[in-house]
Amino acid sequence: MPRDAFELACRLARDAEAVCRHYLSNGRRQGRYWTVGDVRNTPGRSMFVRLSGPESGPGAAGHWTDAASAEHGDLLDVIRESCGLVNFRDVAEEARRFLSLPRAEPRRSPTPVRTPVPAGSPEAAQRLFAMSQPIPDTLAAAYLRNRGIKAVHDAGALRFHPRCYYRPDDSSPTETWPAMIAAVTDLDGKLTGAHRTWLDPDGFSEATLGKAPIDTPRRAMGGLLGHAVRFGAADDVLAVGEGIETMLSLRCVLPAMPMAAALSANHLGALLLPLTLRRLYIARDADAAGDAALTALTERADAAGIEALALSPRMGDFNEELRAFGVGALRAALRIQLAPQDGVRFMRQGTARTG
């Protein structure tokens, strides 16, 4: 059986068209090539896989190039990216399964076969989050620091992907940009979607606030309605708002208070509330959409017997306020908007942690 990646790649290249039909099913054969949108099996024509040629070297069968992104590789890379795999051991096992070869070594429990999933589905969101890396010491952490969020109390909801796919529309080539990835979860903690904030690799500017210079630097995928990016587990008290940066700004002052970002005003108004909740803080954005979301969610909370209190920024949102006035001023502004018991319960802890 193959003893290294080179031999395994050669075995796959001998059946290059069969590999492409299985893992790049959204493509088609054109002469001596298989064409598809990209290595993750997106429909399109920018990626070319050689179906014939020598076993190795220039022009080898199984080698591919994406004209849009300049990426290239072999059929092991196709299996890794199209199946959302991370470890080479899993890639090699999937390749052996396809080739009907024995496993490299016995394992106590087999790894489930991972097959391509529809783009934008909850399954695709789960794989994207799993393929991303922890946020410390990444461009995403630097992005948040530049937004005034020096201590990232994210409760594991955020990750970083150095080369996250971005496509302006279905007819445009695929691009890759670094991105902050946020897990969207339901009330039970199950990941239902993911939110991507593409970042500028050249750093922060006042014009873009560190986001990538593209048309839509923020996009969500998967199941969103009723769900949120959650920072901490809610019990009787919860603070909610629209944006990730808005809620992380509040977490700088109140790191012990559970919070959730619904990602938009419409989704904020439709957010599902925990059955144990007794008091809900709604961090409103200072615009018409924010007012509508505040009204809708307040009415739903009242109907469920939950006390709803608005948190109102002096500027457009709480991240603007944090950047303009600093943590101390934000703490003072929030203190008078909290219920007295929550000021004692959460503000004291926030003061101790953030200085």
Side-chain angles (χ1 to χ4, degrees), residues 23-28 34-48 66 68 82 116-120 165-167 169-175:
Y23 295 102
L24 300 175
S25 57
N26 286 322
R28 62 175 181 167
W34 188 267
T35 63
V36 70
D38 58 41
V39 73
R40 298 185 71 183
N41 197 28
T42 301
R45 296 179 296 175
S46 64
M47 175 176 159
F48 299 82
D66 190 326
S82 65
V117 297
Y165 289 105
Y166 171 79
R167 204 171 195 178
D169 53 60
D170 291 341
S171 62
S172 300
T174 300
E175 305 171 14

PDB file of all heavy atoms in Angstrom, residues 23-28 34-48 66 68 82 116-120 165-167 169-175:
ATOM      1  N   TYR A  23     -15.228  14.195  -6.137  1.00  0.00           N
ATOM      2  CA  TYR A  23     -14.969  15.280  -5.182  1.00  0.00           C
ATOM      3  C   TYR A  23     -15.229  16.670  -5.764  1.00  0.00           C
ATOM      4  O   TYR A  23     -15.390  17.626  -5.007  1.00  0.00           O
ATOM      5  CB  TYR A  23     -13.534  15.200  -4.670  1.00  0.00           C
ATOM      6  CG  TYR A  23     -13.265  13.961  -3.856  1.00  0.00           C
ATOM      7  CD1 TYR A  23     -12.593  12.879  -4.408  1.00  0.00           C
ATOM      8  CD2 TYR A  23     -13.702  13.856  -2.539  1.00  0.00           C
ATOM      9  CE1 TYR A  23     -12.344  11.724  -3.667  1.00  0.00           C
ATOM     10  CE2 TYR A  23     -13.467  12.714  -1.790  1.00  0.00           C
ATOM     11  CZ  TYR A  23     -12.784  11.649  -2.360  1.00  0.00           C
ATOM     12  OH  TYR A  23     -12.563  10.522  -1.618  1.00  0.00           O
ATOM     13  N   LEU A  24     -15.211  16.775  -7.090  1.00  0.00           N
ATOM     14  CA  LEU A  24     -15.483  18.065  -7.747  1.00  0.00           C
ATOM     15  C   LEU A  24     -16.694  17.888  -8.662  1.00  0.00           C
ATOM     16  O   LEU A  24     -16.652  18.193  -9.858  1.00  0.00           O
ATOM     17  CB  LEU A  24     -14.255  18.532  -8.532  1.00  0.00           C
ATOM     18  CG  LEU A  24     -12.982  18.749  -7.697  1.00  0.00           C
ATOM     19  CD1 LEU A  24     -11.799  19.096  -8.599  1.00  0.00           C
ATOM     20  CD2 LEU A  24     -13.184  19.848  -6.651  1.00  0.00           C
ATOM     21  N   SER A  25     -17.782  17.429  -8.079  1.00  0.00           N
ATOM     22  CA  SER A  25     -18.965  17.034  -8.845  1.00  0.00           C
ATOM     23  C   SER A  25     -19.660  18.204  -9.520  1.00  0.00           C
ATOM     24  O   SER A  25     -20.490  18.001 -10.415  1.00  0.00           O
ATOM     25  CB  SER A  25     -19.949  16.305  -7.928  1.00  0.00           C
ATOM     26  OG  SER A  25     -20.291  17.132  -6.821  1.00  0.00           O
ATOM     27  N   ASN A  26     -19.362  19.433  -9.109  1.00  0.00           N
ATOM     28  CA  ASN A  26     -19.976  20.602  -9.751  1.00  0.00           C
ATOM     29  C   ASN A  26     -19.237  21.037 -11.012  1.00  0.00           C
ATOM     30  O   ASN A  26     -19.618  22.032 -11.635  1.00  0.00           O
ATOM     31  CB  ASN A  26     -20.033  21.771  -8.756  1.00  0.00           C
ATOM     32  CG  ASN A  26     -21.104  21.571  -7.708  1.00  0.00           C
ATOM     33  OD1 ASN A  26     -22.178  21.067  -8.009  1.00  0.00           O
ATOM     34  ND2 ASN A  26     -20.818  21.961  -6.480  1.00  0.00           N
ATOM     35  N   GLY A  27     -18.174  20.309 -11.374  1.00  0.00           N
ATOM     36  CA  GLY A  27     -17.423  20.637 -12.581  1.00  0.00           C
ATOM     37  C   GLY A  27     -17.781  19.736 -13.744  1.00  0.00           C
ATOM     38  O   GLY A  27     -18.739  18.962 -13.696  1.00  0.00           O
ATOM     39  N   ARG A  28     -16.981  19.816 -14.802  1.00  0.00           N
ATOM     40  CA  ARG A  28     -17.197  18.968 -15.970  1.00  0.00           C
ATOM     41  C   ARG A  28     -15.893  18.820 -16.739  1.00  0.00           C
ATOM     42  O   ARG A  28     -14.952  19.602 -16.575  1.00  0.00           O
ATOM     43  CB  ARG A  28     -18.264  19.568 -16.873  1.00  0.00           C
ATOM     44  CG  ARG A  28     -17.896  20.918 -17.441  1.00  0.00           C
ATOM     45  CD  ARG A  28     -18.946  21.405 -18.424  1.00  0.00           C
ATOM     46  NE  ARG A  28     -18.588  22.700 -18.984  1.00  0.00           N
ATOM     47  CZ  ARG A  28     -19.197  23.237 -20.039  1.00  0.00           C
ATOM     48  NH1 ARG A  28     -20.184  22.587 -20.625  1.00  0.00           N
ATOM     49  NH2 ARG A  28     -18.830  24.424 -20.482  1.00  0.00           N
ATOM     50  N   TRP A  34     -10.415  18.863 -16.257  1.00  0.00           N
ATOM     51  CA  TRP A  34     -11.672  18.962 -15.503  1.00  0.00           C
ATOM     52  C   TRP A  34     -11.750  20.400 -14.985  1.00  0.00           C
ATOM     53  O   TRP A  34     -10.806  20.902 -14.378  1.00  0.00           O
ATOM     54  CB  TRP A  34     -11.677  17.999 -14.323  1.00  0.00           C
ATOM     55  CG  TRP A  34     -13.009  17.924 -13.632  1.00  0.00           C
ATOM     56  CD1 TRP A  34     -13.429  18.644 -12.562  1.00  0.00           C
ATOM     57  CD2 TRP A  34     -14.097  17.067 -13.991  1.00  0.00           C
ATOM     58  NE1 TRP A  34     -14.707  18.314 -12.222  1.00  0.00           N
ATOM     59  CE2 TRP A  34     -15.152  17.332 -13.073  1.00  0.00           C
ATOM     60  CE3 TRP A  34     -14.290  16.105 -14.978  1.00  0.00           C
ATOM     61  CZ2 TRP A  34     -16.369  16.659 -13.145  1.00  0.00           C
ATOM     62  CZ3 TRP A  34     -15.503  15.436 -15.035  1.00  0.00           C
ATOM     63  CH2 TRP A  34     -16.529  15.718 -14.126  1.00  0.00           C
ATOM     64  N   THR A  35     -12.837  21.092 -15.283  1.00  0.00           N
ATOM     65  CA  THR A  35     -12.975  22.488 -14.862  1.00  0.00           C
ATOM     66  C   THR A  35     -14.067  22.613 -13.817  1.00  0.00           C
ATOM     67  O   THR A  35     -15.098  21.945 -13.882  1.00  0.00           O
ATOM     68  CB  THR A  35     -13.313  23.398 -16.060  1.00  0.00           C
ATOM     69  OG1 THR A  35     -14.571  23.023 -16.604  1.00  0.00           O
ATOM     70  CG2 THR A  35     -12.240  23.308 -17.122  1.00  0.00           C
ATOM     71  N   VAL A  36     -13.812  23.496 -12.854  1.00  0.00           N
ATOM     72  CA  VAL A  36     -14.750  23.741 -11.758  1.00  0.00           C
ATOM     73  C   VAL A  36     -14.430  25.121 -11.188  1.00  0.00           C
ATOM     74  O   VAL A  36     -13.408  25.725 -11.560  1.00  0.00           O
ATOM     75  CB  VAL A  36     -14.620  22.620 -10.684  1.00  0.00           C
ATOM     76  CG1 VAL A  36     -13.297  22.721  -9.941  1.00  0.00           C
ATOM     77  CG2 VAL A  36     -15.807  22.602  -9.732  1.00  0.00           C
ATOM     78  N   GLY A  37     -15.273  25.614 -10.302  1.00  0.00           N
ATOM     79  CA  GLY A  37     -15.066  26.967  -9.775  1.00  0.00           C
ATOM     80  C   GLY A  37     -13.844  27.098  -8.890  1.00  0.00           C
ATOM     81  O   GLY A  37     -13.066  28.041  -9.023  1.00  0.00           O
ATOM     82  N   ASP A  38     -13.673  26.158  -7.970  1.00  0.00           N
ATOM     83  CA  ASP A  38     -12.508  26.184  -7.091  1.00  0.00           C
ATOM     84  C   ASP A  38     -12.354  24.822  -6.435  1.00  0.00           C
ATOM     85  O   ASP A  38     -13.160  23.908  -6.645  1.00  0.00           O
ATOM     86  CB  ASP A  38     -12.601  27.310  -6.041  1.00  0.00           C
ATOM     87  CG  ASP A  38     -13.839  27.224  -5.170  1.00  0.00           C
ATOM     88  OD1 ASP A  38     -14.201  26.106  -4.767  1.00  0.00           O
ATOM     89  OD2 ASP A  38     -14.446  28.267  -4.887  1.00  0.00           O
ATOM     90  N   VAL A  39     -11.334  24.686  -5.617  1.00  0.00           N
ATOM     91  CA  VAL A  39     -10.986  23.399  -5.019  1.00  0.00           C
ATOM     92  C   VAL A  39     -11.999  22.947  -3.975  1.00  0.00           C
ATOM     93  O   VAL A  39     -12.003  21.789  -3.567  1.00  0.00           O
ATOM     94  CB  VAL A  39      -9.564  23.471  -4.427  1.00  0.00           C
ATOM     95  CG1 VAL A  39      -9.542  24.307  -3.154  1.00  0.00           C
ATOM     96  CG2 VAL A  39      -8.993  22.075  -4.160  1.00  0.00           C
ATOM     97  N   ARG A  40     -12.913  23.844  -3.572  1.00  0.00           N
ATOM     98  CA  ARG A  40     -13.956  23.466  -2.621  1.00  0.00           C
ATOM     99  C   ARG A  40     -15.241  23.055  -3.333  1.00  0.00           C
ATOM    100  O   ARG A  40     -16.298  22.982  -2.738  1.00  0.00           O
ATOM    101  CB  ARG A  40     -14.228  24.599  -1.641  1.00  0.00           C
ATOM    102  CG  ARG A  40     -13.008  24.949  -0.789  1.00  0.00           C
ATOM    103  CD  ARG A  40     -13.313  25.978   0.251  1.00  0.00           C
ATOM    104  NE  ARG A  40     -14.151  25.432   1.311  1.00  0.00           N
ATOM    105  CZ  ARG A  40     -14.604  26.153   2.330  1.00  0.00           C
ATOM    106  NH1 ARG A  40     -14.319  27.435   2.400  1.00  0.00           N
ATOM    107  NH2 ARG A  40     -15.346  25.600   3.266  1.00  0.00           N
ATOM    108  N   ASN A  41     -15.150  22.817  -4.644  1.00  0.00           N
ATOM    109  CA  ASN A  41     -16.267  22.304  -5.447  1.00  0.00           C
ATOM    110  C   ASN A  41     -17.354  23.343  -5.691  1.00  0.00           C
ATOM    111  O   ASN A  41     -18.530  23.018  -5.821  1.00  0.00           O
ATOM    112  CB  ASN A  41     -16.887  21.052  -4.796  1.00  0.00           C
ATOM    113  CG  ASN A  41     -17.748  20.258  -5.774  1.00  0.00           C
ATOM    114  OD1 ASN A  41     -17.519  20.288  -6.980  1.00  0.00           O
ATOM    115  ND2 ASN A  41     -18.750  19.565  -5.257  1.00  0.00           N
ATOM    116  N   THR A  42     -16.960  24.600  -5.764  1.00  0.00           N
ATOM    117  CA  THR A  42     -17.900  25.653  -6.132  1.00  0.00           C
ATOM    118  C   THR A  42     -18.133  25.615  -7.643  1.00  0.00           C
ATOM    119  O   THR A  42     -17.178  25.442  -8.399  1.00  0.00           O
ATOM    120  CB  THR A  42     -17.335  27.022  -5.733  1.00  0.00           C
ATOM    121  OG1 THR A  42     -17.103  27.039  -4.329  1.00  0.00           O
ATOM    122  CG2 THR A  42     -18.291  28.142  -6.090  1.00  0.00           C
ATOM    123  N   PRO A  43     -19.367  25.752  -8.113  1.00  0.00           N
ATOM    124  CA  PRO A  43     -19.597  25.789  -9.565  1.00  0.00           C
ATOM    125  C   PRO A  43     -18.815  26.930 -10.214  1.00  0.00           C
ATOM    126  O   PRO A  43     -18.674  28.013  -9.644  1.00  0.00           O
ATOM    127  CB  PRO A  43     -21.112  26.009  -9.673  1.00  0.00           C
ATOM    128  CG  PRO A  43     -21.671  25.503  -8.378  1.00  0.00           C
ATOM    129  CD  PRO A  43     -20.628  25.828  -7.343  1.00  0.00           C
ATOM    130  N   GLY A  44     -18.312  26.699 -11.391  1.00  0.00           N
ATOM    131  CA  GLY A  44     -17.561  27.716 -12.120  1.00  0.00           C
ATOM    132  C   GLY A  44     -16.561  27.083 -13.061  1.00  0.00           C
ATOM    133  O   GLY A  44     -16.593  25.872 -13.317  1.00  0.00           O
ATOM    134  N   ARG A  45     -15.624  27.899 -13.564  1.00  0.00           N
ATOM    135  CA  ARG A  45     -14.684  27.391 -14.568  1.00  0.00           C
ATOM    136  C   ARG A  45     -13.264  27.889 -14.370  1.00  0.00           C
ATOM    137  O   ARG A  45     -12.444  27.788 -15.276  1.00  0.00           O
ATOM    138  CB  ARG A  45     -15.159  27.784 -15.962  1.00  0.00           C
ATOM    139  CG  ARG A  45     -16.487  27.160 -16.369  1.00  0.00           C
ATOM    140  CD  ARG A  45     -16.910  27.599 -17.755  1.00  0.00           C
ATOM    141  NE  ARG A  45     -17.162  29.034 -17.811  1.00  0.00           N
ATOM    142  CZ  ARG A  45     -17.449  29.716 -18.915  1.00  0.00           C
ATOM    143  NH1 ARG A  45     -17.499  29.086 -20.065  1.00  0.00           N
ATOM    144  NH2 ARG A  45     -17.691  31.006 -18.859  1.00  0.00           N
ATOM    145  N   SER A  46     -12.942  28.438 -13.203  1.00  0.00           N
ATOM    146  CA  SER A  46     -11.614  29.045 -13.052  1.00  0.00           C
ATOM    147  C   SER A  46     -10.532  28.043 -12.663  1.00  0.00           C
ATOM    148  O   SER A  46      -9.353  28.318 -12.797  1.00  0.00           O
ATOM    149  CB  SER A  46     -11.663  30.172 -12.013  1.00  0.00           C
ATOM    150  OG  SER A  46     -11.976  29.660 -10.737  1.00  0.00           O
ATOM    151  N   MET A  47     -10.903  26.856 -12.180  1.00  0.00           N
ATOM    152  CA  MET A  47      -9.925  25.859 -11.764  1.00  0.00           C
ATOM    153  C   MET A  47      -9.839  24.748 -12.811  1.00  0.00           C
ATOM    154  O   MET A  47     -10.857  24.252 -13.304  1.00  0.00           O
ATOM    155  CB  MET A  47     -10.323  25.268 -10.408  1.00  0.00           C
ATOM    156  CG  MET A  47      -9.426  24.139  -9.939  1.00  0.00           C
ATOM    157  SD  MET A  47      -9.906  23.578  -8.297  1.00  0.00           S
ATOM    158  CE  MET A  47      -9.170  21.944  -8.277  1.00  0.00           C
ATOM    159  N   PHE A  48      -8.600  24.350 -13.149  1.00  0.00           N
ATOM    160  CA  PHE A  48      -8.350  23.337 -14.171  1.00  0.00           C
ATOM    161  C   PHE A  48      -7.539  22.196 -13.553  1.00  0.00           C
ATOM    162  O   PHE A  48      -6.494  22.422 -12.955  1.00  0.00           O
ATOM    163  CB  PHE A  48      -7.572  23.924 -15.347  1.00  0.00           C
ATOM    164  CG  PHE A  48      -8.295  25.039 -16.065  1.00  0.00           C
ATOM    165  CD1 PHE A  48      -8.270  26.342 -15.573  1.00  0.00           C
ATOM    166  CD2 PHE A  48      -9.003  24.775 -17.224  1.00  0.00           C
ATOM    167  CE1 PHE A  48      -8.935  27.366 -16.234  1.00  0.00           C
ATOM    168  CE2 PHE A  48      -9.670  25.792 -17.888  1.00  0.00           C
ATOM    169  CZ  PHE A  48      -9.645  27.093 -17.400  1.00  0.00           C
ATOM    170  N   ASP A  66      -5.840  27.109  -9.994  1.00  0.00           N
ATOM    171  CA  ASP A  66      -7.009  27.994  -9.979  1.00  0.00           C
ATOM    172  C   ASP A  66      -6.569  29.339 -10.544  1.00  0.00           C
ATOM    173  O   ASP A  66      -5.788  30.064  -9.916  1.00  0.00           O
ATOM    174  CB  ASP A  66      -7.530  28.157  -8.548  1.00  0.00           C
ATOM    175  CG  ASP A  66      -8.883  28.862  -8.497  1.00  0.00           C
ATOM    176  OD1 ASP A  66      -9.109  29.739  -9.343  1.00  0.00           O
ATOM    177  OD2 ASP A  66      -9.684  28.551  -7.605  1.00  0.00           O
ATOM    178  N   ALA A  68      -8.140  32.025 -10.847  1.00  0.00           N
ATOM    179  CA  ALA A  68      -8.648  33.190 -10.123  1.00  0.00           C
ATOM    180  C   ALA A  68      -7.832  33.496  -8.884  1.00  0.00           C
ATOM    181  O   ALA A  68      -7.571  34.652  -8.562  1.00  0.00           O
ATOM    182  CB  ALA A  68     -10.109  32.971  -9.739  1.00  0.00           C
ATOM    183  N   SER A  82     -12.178  19.922  -0.497  1.00  0.00           N
ATOM    184  CA  SER A  82     -13.576  19.654  -0.839  1.00  0.00           C
ATOM    185  C   SER A  82     -14.308  18.953   0.299  1.00  0.00           C
ATOM    186  O   SER A  82     -15.521  19.110   0.452  1.00  0.00           O
ATOM    187  CB  SER A  82     -13.668  18.818  -2.115  1.00  0.00           C
ATOM    188  OG  SER A  82     -13.113  17.530  -1.920  1.00  0.00           O
ATOM    189  N   PRO A 116     -18.505  16.245   0.353  1.00  0.00           N
ATOM    190  CA  PRO A 116     -18.793  17.663   0.142  1.00  0.00           C
ATOM    191  C   PRO A 116     -20.198  18.031   0.579  1.00  0.00           C
ATOM    192  O   PRO A 116     -21.126  17.234   0.461  1.00  0.00           O
ATOM    193  CB  PRO A 116     -18.606  17.827  -1.373  1.00  0.00           C
ATOM    194  CG  PRO A 116     -17.677  16.719  -1.760  1.00  0.00           C
ATOM    195  CD  PRO A 116     -18.024  15.574  -0.856  1.00  0.00           C
ATOM    196  N   VAL A 117     -20.355  19.223   1.094  1.00  0.00           N
ATOM    197  CA  VAL A 117     -21.658  19.692   1.559  1.00  0.00           C
ATOM    198  C   VAL A 117     -22.030  20.950   0.787  1.00  0.00           C
ATOM    199  O   VAL A 117     -21.173  21.652   0.259  1.00  0.00           O
ATOM    200  CB  VAL A 117     -21.644  19.982   3.074  1.00  0.00           C
ATOM    201  CG1 VAL A 117     -21.360  18.713   3.852  1.00  0.00           C
ATOM    202  CG2 VAL A 117     -20.600  21.045   3.418  1.00  0.00           C
ATOM    203  N   PRO A 118     -23.323  21.260   0.691  1.00  0.00           N
ATOM    204  CA  PRO A 118     -23.738  22.452  -0.059  1.00  0.00           C
ATOM    205  C   PRO A 118     -23.150  23.725   0.529  1.00  0.00           C
ATOM    206  O   PRO A 118     -23.090  23.893   1.748  1.00  0.00           O
ATOM    207  CB  PRO A 118     -25.267  22.431   0.079  1.00  0.00           C
ATOM    208  CG  PRO A 118     -25.614  21.016   0.412  1.00  0.00           C
ATOM    209  CD  PRO A 118     -24.462  20.490   1.201  1.00  0.00           C
ATOM    210  N   ALA A 119     -22.702  24.612  -0.339  1.00  0.00           N
ATOM    211  CA  ALA A 119     -22.169  25.888   0.116  1.00  0.00           C
ATOM    212  C   ALA A 119     -23.259  26.669   0.853  1.00  0.00           C
ATOM    213  O   ALA A 119     -24.410  26.706   0.437  1.00  0.00           O
ATOM    214  CB  ALA A 119     -21.656  26.699  -1.078  1.00  0.00           C
ATOM    215  N   GLY A 120     -22.878  27.278   1.979  1.00  0.00           N
ATOM    216  CA  GLY A 120     -23.809  28.092   2.742  1.00  0.00           C
ATOM    217  C   GLY A 120     -24.690  27.317   3.692  1.00  0.00           C
ATOM    218  O   GLY A 120     -25.498  27.917   4.400  1.00  0.00           O
ATOM    219  N   TYR A 165     -12.477  31.962   1.676  1.00  0.00           N
ATOM    220  CA  TYR A 165     -12.984  32.256   0.340  1.00  0.00           C
ATOM    221  C   TYR A 165     -14.006  33.389   0.364  1.00  0.00           C
ATOM    222  O   TYR A 165     -14.841  33.478   1.259  1.00  0.00           O
ATOM    223  CB  TYR A 165     -13.623  31.023  -0.285  1.00  0.00           C
ATOM    224  CG  TYR A 165     -12.617  29.967  -0.678  1.00  0.00           C
ATOM    225  CD1 TYR A 165     -12.469  28.816   0.088  1.00  0.00           C
ATOM    226  CD2 TYR A 165     -11.830  30.121  -1.806  1.00  0.00           C
ATOM    227  CE1 TYR A 165     -11.537  27.846  -0.262  1.00  0.00           C
ATOM    228  CE2 TYR A 165     -10.895  29.166  -2.162  1.00  0.00           C
ATOM    229  CZ  TYR A 165     -10.752  28.028  -1.391  1.00  0.00           C
ATOM    230  OH  TYR A 165      -9.835  27.075  -1.738  1.00  0.00           O
ATOM    231  N   TYR A 166     -13.915  34.236  -0.658  1.00  0.00           N
ATOM    232  CA  TYR A 166     -14.867  35.330  -0.854  1.00  0.00           C
ATOM    233  C   TYR A 166     -15.179  35.431  -2.337  1.00  0.00           C
ATOM    234  O   TYR A 166     -14.273  35.405  -3.186  1.00  0.00           O
ATOM    235  CB  TYR A 166     -14.292  36.662  -0.359  1.00  0.00           C
ATOM    236  CG  TYR A 166     -15.142  37.860  -0.736  1.00  0.00           C
ATOM    237  CD1 TYR A 166     -16.284  38.179  -0.015  1.00  0.00           C
ATOM    238  CD2 TYR A 166     -14.822  38.652  -1.843  1.00  0.00           C
ATOM    239  CE1 TYR A 166     -17.086  39.259  -0.363  1.00  0.00           C
ATOM    240  CE2 TYR A 166     -15.607  39.743  -2.201  1.00  0.00           C
ATOM    241  CZ  TYR A 166     -16.740  40.038  -1.460  1.00  0.00           C
ATOM    242  OH  TYR A 166     -17.529  41.103  -1.808  1.00  0.00           O
ATOM    243  N   ARG A 167     -16.478  35.535  -2.641  1.00  0.00           N
ATOM    244  CA  ARG A 167     -16.892  35.683  -4.031  1.00  0.00           C
ATOM    245  C   ARG A 167     -17.924  36.790  -4.106  1.00  0.00           C
ATOM    246  O   ARG A 167     -18.988  36.687  -3.491  1.00  0.00           O
ATOM    247  CB  ARG A 167     -17.508  34.365  -4.528  1.00  0.00           C
ATOM    248  CG  ARG A 167     -17.443  34.198  -6.030  1.00  0.00           C
ATOM    249  CD  ARG A 167     -17.851  32.796  -6.410  1.00  0.00           C
ATOM    250  NE  ARG A 167     -17.469  32.497  -7.783  1.00  0.00           N
ATOM    251  CZ  ARG A 167     -17.668  31.325  -8.357  1.00  0.00           C
ATOM    252  NH1 ARG A 167     -18.236  30.356  -7.668  1.00  0.00           N
ATOM    253  NH2 ARG A 167     -17.297  31.117  -9.593  1.00  0.00           N
ATOM    254  N   ASP A 169     -20.023  37.716  -6.378  1.00  0.00           N
ATOM    255  CA  ASP A 169     -21.288  37.193  -6.891  1.00  0.00           C
ATOM    256  C   ASP A 169     -20.990  35.914  -7.654  1.00  0.00           C
ATOM    257  O   ASP A 169     -19.827  35.516  -7.810  1.00  0.00           O
ATOM    258  CB  ASP A 169     -21.998  38.220  -7.792  1.00  0.00           C
ATOM    259  CG  ASP A 169     -21.095  38.735  -8.898  1.00  0.00           C
ATOM    260  OD1 ASP A 169     -20.627  37.913  -9.709  1.00  0.00           O
ATOM    261  OD2 ASP A 169     -20.856  39.963  -8.950  1.00  0.00           O
ATOM    262  N   ASP A 170     -22.030  35.252  -8.135  1.00  0.00           N
ATOM    263  CA  ASP A 170     -21.860  33.946  -8.760  1.00  0.00           C
ATOM    264  C   ASP A 170     -21.039  33.992 -10.038  1.00  0.00           C
ATOM    265  O   ASP A 170     -20.464  32.979 -10.457  1.00  0.00           O
ATOM    266  CB  ASP A 170     -23.234  33.329  -9.070  1.00  0.00           C
ATOM    267  CG  ASP A 170     -23.979  32.937  -7.803  1.00  0.00           C
ATOM    268  OD1 ASP A 170     -23.309  32.804  -6.756  1.00  0.00           O
ATOM    269  OD2 ASP A 170     -25.218  32.791  -7.861  1.00  0.00           O
ATOM    270  N   SER A 171     -20.974  35.136 -10.680  1.00  0.00           N
ATOM    271  CA  SER A 171     -20.244  35.233 -11.944  1.00  0.00           C
ATOM    272  C   SER A 171     -18.815  35.735 -11.765  1.00  0.00           C
ATOM    273  O   SER A 171     -18.084  35.858 -12.741  1.00  0.00           O
ATOM    274  CB  SER A 171     -20.989  36.161 -12.907  1.00  0.00           C
ATOM    275  OG  SER A 171     -21.071  37.480 -12.362  1.00  0.00           O
ATOM    276  N   SER A 172     -18.412  36.025 -10.543  1.00  0.00           N
ATOM    277  CA  SER A 172     -17.077  36.565 -10.280  1.00  0.00           C
ATOM    278  C   SER A 172     -16.136  35.471  -9.800  1.00  0.00           C
ATOM    279  O   SER A 172     -16.572  34.466  -9.236  1.00  0.00           O
ATOM    280  CB  SER A 172     -17.153  37.667  -9.212  1.00  0.00           C
ATOM    281  OG  SER A 172     -17.989  38.723  -9.632  1.00  0.00           O
ATOM    282  N   PRO A 173     -14.829  35.652 -10.018  1.00  0.00           N
ATOM    283  CA  PRO A 173     -13.862  34.661  -9.539  1.00  0.00           C
ATOM    284  C   PRO A 173     -13.776  34.658  -8.018  1.00  0.00           C
ATOM    285  O   PRO A 173     -14.096  35.654  -7.359  1.00  0.00           O
ATOM    286  CB  PRO A 173     -12.547  35.120 -10.167  1.00  0.00           C
ATOM    287  CG  PRO A 173     -12.731  36.587 -10.429  1.00  0.00           C
ATOM    288  CD  PRO A 173     -14.187  36.750 -10.767  1.00  0.00           C
ATOM    289  N   THR A 174     -13.347  33.549  -7.473  1.00  0.00           N
ATOM    290  CA  THR A 174     -13.193  33.412  -6.032  1.00  0.00           C
ATOM    291  C   THR A 174     -11.913  34.100  -5.575  1.00  0.00           C
ATOM    292  O   THR A 174     -10.860  33.963  -6.202  1.00  0.00           O
ATOM    293  CB  THR A 174     -13.149  31.927  -5.638  1.00  0.00           C
ATOM    294  OG1 THR A 174     -14.370  31.310  -6.043  1.00  0.00           O
ATOM    295  CG2 THR A 174     -12.983  31.757  -4.141  1.00  0.00           C
ATOM    296  N   GLU A 175     -12.008  34.839  -4.494  1.00  0.00           N
ATOM    297  CA  GLU A 175     -10.844  35.478  -3.881  1.00  0.00           C
ATOM    298  C   GLU A 175     -10.614  34.859  -2.508  1.00  0.00           C
ATOM    299  O   GLU A 175     -11.481  34.173  -1.970  1.00  0.00           O
ATOM    300  CB  GLU A 175     -11.095  36.989  -3.717  1.00  0.00           C
ATOM    301  CG  GLU A 175     -11.487  37.704  -4.994  1.00  0.00           C
ATOM    302  CD  GLU A 175     -11.937  39.139  -4.745  1.00  0.00           C
ATOM    303  OE1 GLU A 175     -11.694  39.660  -3.631  1.00  0.00           O
ATOM    304  OE2 GLU A 175     -12.562  39.720  -5.646  1.00  0.00           O
TER     305      GLU A 175
END
